[in-house]
Amino acid sequence: MTISELTLKSKDSEPARRFEVFTGSGRRRDWLPEEKARIVAESYDAGETVSAVARRHALSPQQLFAWRRSARVPLANAPAPEPLFVPAVVAAQEPEPAGKRARSTRKRKAARETGVIELEIDGVAMRVGRGADARTVAAVIRALKAPS
């Protein structure tokens, strides 16, 4: 039975099964920017889901996702931070001239040069091999960067 049937065609013998009354103006809620920011931050907490946070605050998940998206927009327009890494230059190794070198020597050299990283700091070149100790490498880098 619809509301129009209830008001226009209702019979005394047929009782209304459900009757809903909407109160209030039905307008949208106004959220303060601080409240929105707090709810968005809460949705990023570890172990929280957007749906659970939205339910707690009587929001739809879509609304909370829209708030999160709009909170990211200023970050997209912010100037890019300085890079944290230095640019890497990858140089191909020059092939050895074709000659009568033994195959075993070539294999040993190739195995020795695999996984080698070469760092250049203030004109000083440093080659770090595959099994190098991380603490030793860090100490050498600190020594190279220290003012003399």
Side-chain angles (χ1 to χ4, degrees), residues 40-144:
V40 166
E42 184 181 334
S43 73
Y44 282 110
D45 286 345
E48 285 290 349
T49 63
V50 172
S51 296
V53 174
R55 261 192 311 274
R56 249 192 320 271
H57 296 284
L59 291 169
S60 70
Q62 294 83 358
Q63 181 67 52
L64 185 51
F65 276 118
W67 288 358
R68 287 167 54 131
R69 193 176 322 109
S70 66
R72 284 192 307 257
V73 170
L75 295 178
N77 297 334
E82 290 188 31
L84 298 176
F85 297 98
V86 295
V89 179
V90 179
Q93 293 181 351
E94 295 191 22
E96 293 183 25
K100 295 185 177 181
R101 293 193 89 163
R103 292 181 76 193
S104 61
T105 309
R106 258 188 270 152
K107 284 183 182 179
R108 277 188 298 224
K109 186 175 181 184
R112 191 175 60 229
E113 291 184 357
T114 358
V116 174
I117 298 174
E118 187 171 332
L119 301 172
E120 185 175 337
I121 302 172
D122 292 331
V124 177
M126 176 177 145
R127 296 184 82 185
V128 180
R130 178 182 291 183
D133 181 43
R135 286 179 287 180
T136 305
V137 173
V140 171
I141 291 173
R142 268 188 254 113
L144 289 174

Side-chain angles (χ1 to χ4, degrees), residues 1-7 9-11 14-19:
M1 174 181 295
T2 64
I3 296 293
S4 60
E5 289 175 335
L6 181 65
T7 55
K9 303 177 186 173
S10 65
K11 300 175 187 169
E14 187 178 302
R17 292 191 183 127
R18 181 175 176 181
F19 188 75

